[in-house]
Amino acid sequence: MSRHPAFWAATLCFFTLELQLIAEETSPSPLAVFEQRIMPIFASPKPSSCIQCHLASVDLKNYILPTSQATFQALRNQGLINVDAPLESKILQLIAMGDKDADQGAKLIHAKTRQAERAAFAAWIEACCQDKVLLASQPNREPSTESAQQTVGPEKPLAVVRYNRKDRLLDSFVRNIWSQRMRCFPCHTPHEIDLDNPMHKQPGERHADYVQEFGQKMNLFLETPEKTLNSWIASSRKERENHLPLINAKTPANSLILLKPTAKVPGKDENGLVVGPSSVLPVSHVGGLKMHIHDQSYKSFLTWLEDFARVDSDTYAEESDLPQDNWFPTEQVVRISDVSDAWPVLATVQVFVFAWDEHTSAWSTSPTAFTQALITPKRMVNGPLFRMASPTQKVQWTRGEMARLEPGKYLIRVCLDRNQQLNEHPEVLLHDAKSDMLQTEIEAVWKDGFKDAELIDGGQMK
């Protein structure tokens, strides 16, 4: 017996509706998914995968409220859930940010946690977006109610959250410490030794002897800045007797990476024999002095260490707390002779370079470059320049090249740290000092290296 086409259409519609109702009955509710998959993330004592990219200030727990409905409403109101395309929700994109991490090791370590978190949130969001009652609900805006306009996300400003990212910290590490690594050549820089270069034969042998005597800990600077920084952080998390950490997050000035290059060679015992190097106070260094306290490298090392400590302890609270962190290394050197007799030997000075602006016929209002150094017994000041980025004109610099100053007309300003501000605040720049300042105008060529330093007669400074 044949049936009318309308019969079959009605039958198909009936079974489709039945299957839909069955699916709705068997699909877990948003509340069930929330309790089974989201709350374990909220209750876990372990940090979320956010730590892959952020050292502090943010955790996935910041985006979860005590109830499923409150969490959904808050995420939706803040544009973090796309009810029309649930799997394109911004919260899922934030969780997946770790997939773009250039640090392949960190990406691999956190992959399982990151994927589980994204899957849990995706399942819960899809369940929420299929719940007509939940979609129709509006947040309770009565100020007297417990759920009034609840929000999710980090408590600190986004500028602080972004500043605490590991890639920002790595960029600063490259500029402030990695760029200075050749001060530690060859003993701690195995990947800078070219055994095919005849001039590296003796340094290579010296490095091999030290590794045989002291072990692999000699190899401080690894193949890349990423590997180096990760290694230093991991090593510094381990507390060891008779050994200060490379990065001392509690007392940055007592970081071994700063104390070793500013320490003298080990002394001798009562029998006249040379004692082994010390990694506790007072620190001694087989390689002897590699940089002086308060010179340019010391400033950049200590400034980075102070910054790391504040990020690691989540100390920055407001955007105004954040340091500028806007200087870039160059290979250009300034050398000033005959510094004023009124300034004491071994005092710390900062040298600032201001560029001439042809458009305004005036000197730049902020420094173009600076260095920091000590007045030598011969009354000289030497220092490699750091190029400074202004808020309106960023300096373009990558790891493969150094920042530069172009030849031209410049104002050189030298500021004396007479009150020793830098002891307590190493990041301070003194270019606005109203006293203890000398300056002069020059036509600079700016070649590279100490051999071709830009020479300035301090006797002509006013």
Side-chain angles (χ1 to χ4, degrees), residues 407-419:
K409 184 179 178 181
Y410 291 88
L411 174 71
I412 305 299
R413 179 177 297 171
V414 186
C415 299
L416 174 66
D417 183 25
R418 188 180 296 278
N419 298 322

Side-chain angles (χ1 to χ4, degrees), residues 24 27-28 30 86 125-133 135:
E24 289 179 357
S27 297
I125 291 171
E126 284 195 300
C128 290
C129 292
Q130 293 171 7
D131 189 314
K132 296 179 181 179
V133 175
L135 287 175

Side-chain angles (χ1 to χ4, degrees), residues 55 169 228-238 247 308:
L55 203 63
L169 194 69
T228 301
L229 180 56
N230 289 339
S231 173
W232 289 13
I233 293 175
S235 169
S236 301
R237 301 290 192 209
K238 303 173 184 176
I247 302 174
F308 175 87

Side-chain angles (χ1 to χ4, degrees), residues 58 66 86 137 148 165 173 220 229 240 296 307 334 417 423 442:
V58 65
S137 67
R165 282 182 59 90
F173 174 81
L220 287 177
L229 180 56
R240 291 181 287 176
Q296 178 62 28
D307 183 42
V334 63
D417 183 25
N423 288 349
I442 65 169

Side-chain angles (χ1 to χ4, degrees), residues 329-334 369-371 383-387 402-407 445-450 452-454:
T330 79
E331 293 181 345
Q332 295 159 321
V333 179
V334 63
F370 84 100
T371 191
L385 291 169
F386 267 41
R387 184 81 160 83
M402 304 294 273
R404 296 192 58 79
L405 281 82
E406 298 301 322
V445 178
W446 298 125
K447 295 182 179 180
D448 291 343
F450 276 88
D452 292 315
E454 195 69 37

Side-chain angles (χ1 to χ4, degrees), residues 144-202:
S144 60
T145 62
E146 185 178 344
S147 60
Q149 300 186 37
Q150 295 188 75
T151 60
V152 291
E155 296 179 358
K156 296 190 176 182
L158 287 179
V160 175
V161 174
R162 295 189 187 102
Y163 190 87
N164 289 341
R165 282 182 59 90
K166 291 182 179 178
D167 55 0
R168 197 285 311 168
L169 194 69
L170 174 64
D171 171 70
S172 181
F173 174 81
V174 171
R175 290 185 283 109
N176 286 289
I177 294 183
W178 178 264
S179 66
Q180 313 290 310
R181 68 191 181 281
M182 293 309 288
R183 282 182 177 255
C184 305
F185 178 88
C187 306
H188 302 294
T189 56
H191 300 284
E192 306 299 333
I193 300 172
D194 180 7
L195 296 179
D196 293 329
N197 184 343
M199 296 184 67
H200 284 201
K201 180 180 178 182
Q202 187 174 355

